[in-house]
Amino acid sequence: MVAEGRFEIEGREGQGAYGLRVHLLLHRRGGGWERPLDGPDRQRATAGPDGAFRIALATATDLSAFDSVAVAPATDAEAIRLIPTGDALRLDDAAVQLAWAVRRPLPPAGDVALAGLVGAVPRPVGVAIRTATISREFVHRLYDGAPPFALPRVDVELSSKGGYVFQAIDPDAPWGHEIEVRAAGITPALMAHEYGHYVSYRMWGDDAFRYSLRNRQLREGWAIFFSFAARAYAAAAYGDPDLAPSNPERAPFTDRFDAEVRYDRISYGVSHPDYAAIGALLWSLYDRAEPSPFEAETPGPGSLAGDNDDISGGVAVFEAART
């Protein structure tokens, strides 16, 4: 049995659910869904930004007791584990959402070849998994595949209410920490921001108290910077236009009196200019002329490629906040 296809993000044309794991399931006549007991190639993670998967099952088991086959996405990926909700089938090492599965009838005999399967996952799920996977990949690339700290799978709760937060101390989370995001408003920028908090937490030794006692401006400024940097990498590596809409070079934000200071469409620029300034300063230390996709090439301040001009913008925001 061979099944080939891809999973896409609902409402995001051309976007695959990069990083999503998938499982092959068989439906027993008059029973429920089961995972095949043998076959070393029965599951494959999607491989690439198009969300493609290929599953091969070689089995001597008599399949006449089964009437259909499904490829179902799991609620976990290498970067994150989504807390499953609703119609989830529990497996030994994962949980899959049957509502998102691609299903086909199983012929009574002969080889089974299912090609061109296309499935969809809800937009919040696709954005969370795709963004976290690429953000984790970005960190590993920075350290040539061997970062000096581990980034194990982090629990993510897609909530119907609330905001966006990384909890370093959370009594309700199995490991004491998790990312909570409001599903209705999730974007790549927000998911990369919260995953940046998790990266910072891991860099500081996986210590909730050390993480939480640090200066709030540094915590938030780091996460703003990380979101920029991870999405700059993703835009260059995968050419995804959704990943670079609010870059720190080309989008000035305004202060509370609507006078242009630097970046636009970054809410921290209005409510917390000190957060935005830390992000700008960190970006200026990281930014480079080539091959950075965020280096400004427009007239006026910021037009000199590689001049780290964000420092002046960051200092101006600091001065505005101090005054």
Side-chain angles (χ1 to χ4, degrees):
M1 180 185 299
V2 176
E4 294 183 68
R6 58 179 294 194
F7 274 94
E8 298 176 343
I9 300 173
E10 282 182 352
R12 315 298 285 182
E13 184 177 353
Q15 280 196 345
Y18 178 45
L20 190 71
R21 298 174 65 201
V22 297
H23 295 269
L24 181 68
L25 303 173
L26 297 173
H27 187 266
R28 187 175 293 275
R29 299 179 191 278
W33 291 97
E34 303 175 13
R35 188 160 60 170
L37 297 178
D38 58 1
D41 298 325
R42 66 172 178 263
Q43 84 178 40
R44 283 288 182 269
T46 56
D50 62 349
F53 64 84
R54 184 179 189 277
I55 300 177
L57 173 66
T59 177
T61 304
D62 180 9
L63 301 182
S64 60
F66 301 94
D67 57 16
S68 54
V69 61
V71 178
T75 58
D76 66 293
E78 188 175 16
I80 65 175
R81 185 186 77 92
L82 293 176
I83 297 175
T85 59
D87 186 22
L89 176 65
R90 309 283 175 165
L91 304 175
D92 292 338
D93 58 350
V96 299
Q97 291 285 4
L98 295 174
W100 312 333
V102 183
R103 311 183 188 195
R104 293 290 185 274
L106 189 63
D111 294 336
V112 179
L114 305 173
L117 301 178
V118 178
V121 295
R123 182 178 174 275
V125 172
V127 170
I129 289 179
R130 180 183 174 89
T131 305
T133 299
I134 293 177
S135 296
R136 184 180 186 273
E137 177 184 294
F138 161 64
V139 175
H140 277 255
R141 293 289 178 89
L142 277 179
Y143 289 98
D144 295 324
F149 52 91
L151 282 174
R153 193 176 299 152
V154 61
D155 284 343
V156 174
E157 179 181 354
L158 292 174
S159 175
S160 59
K161 56 184 178 180
Y164 314 91
V165 62
F166 168 73
Q167 298 276 26
I169 305 175
D170 188 344
D172 297 326
W175 308 111
H177 60 266
E178 69 175 21
I179 295 172
E180 298 176 12
V181 292
R182 183 168 60 88
I186 189 173
T187 64
L190 287 167
M191 188 62 212
H193 179 105
E194 298 308 332
Y195 193 82
H197 279 302
Y198 174 62
V199 171
S200 176
Y201 167 72
R202 295 293 303 184
M203 291 176 73
W204 279 72
D206 201 19
D207 187 311
F209 289 100
R210 286 182 66 193
Y211 171 84
S212 300
L213 290 174
R214 286 186 301 138
N215 179 285
R216 179 71 181 267
Q217 283 81 357
L218 291 177
R219 289 208 311 267
E220 293 299 334
W222 161 267
I224 292 171
F225 153 73
F226 183 89
S227 180
F228 288 149
R231 288 181 293 124
Y233 162 76
Y238 299 107
D240 193 331
D242 265 7
L243 296 170
S246 59
N247 74 66
E249 289 276 1
R250 296 180 181 156
F253 77 74
T254 58
D255 64 17
R256 63 183 69 251
F257 301 107
D258 292 327
E260 184 175 297
V261 179
R262 193 64 174 136
Y263 315 130
D264 191 15
R265 289 172 294 180
I266 302 172
S267 60
Y268 293 114
V270 176
S271 58
H272 288 286
D274 44 352
Y275 295 1
I278 293 285
L281 292 169
L282 289 173
W283 176 263
S284 73
L285 298 175
Y286 173 81
D287 190 20
R288 60 195 184 280
E290 295 293 344
S292 170
F294 281 175
E295 189 62 44
E297 299 172 353
T298 53
S303 63
L304 301 178
D307 64 357
N308 283 337
D309 52 86
D310 296 293
I311 289 179
S312 61
V315 171
V317 177
F318 266 126
E319 286 300 306
R322 183 183 64 81
T323 300

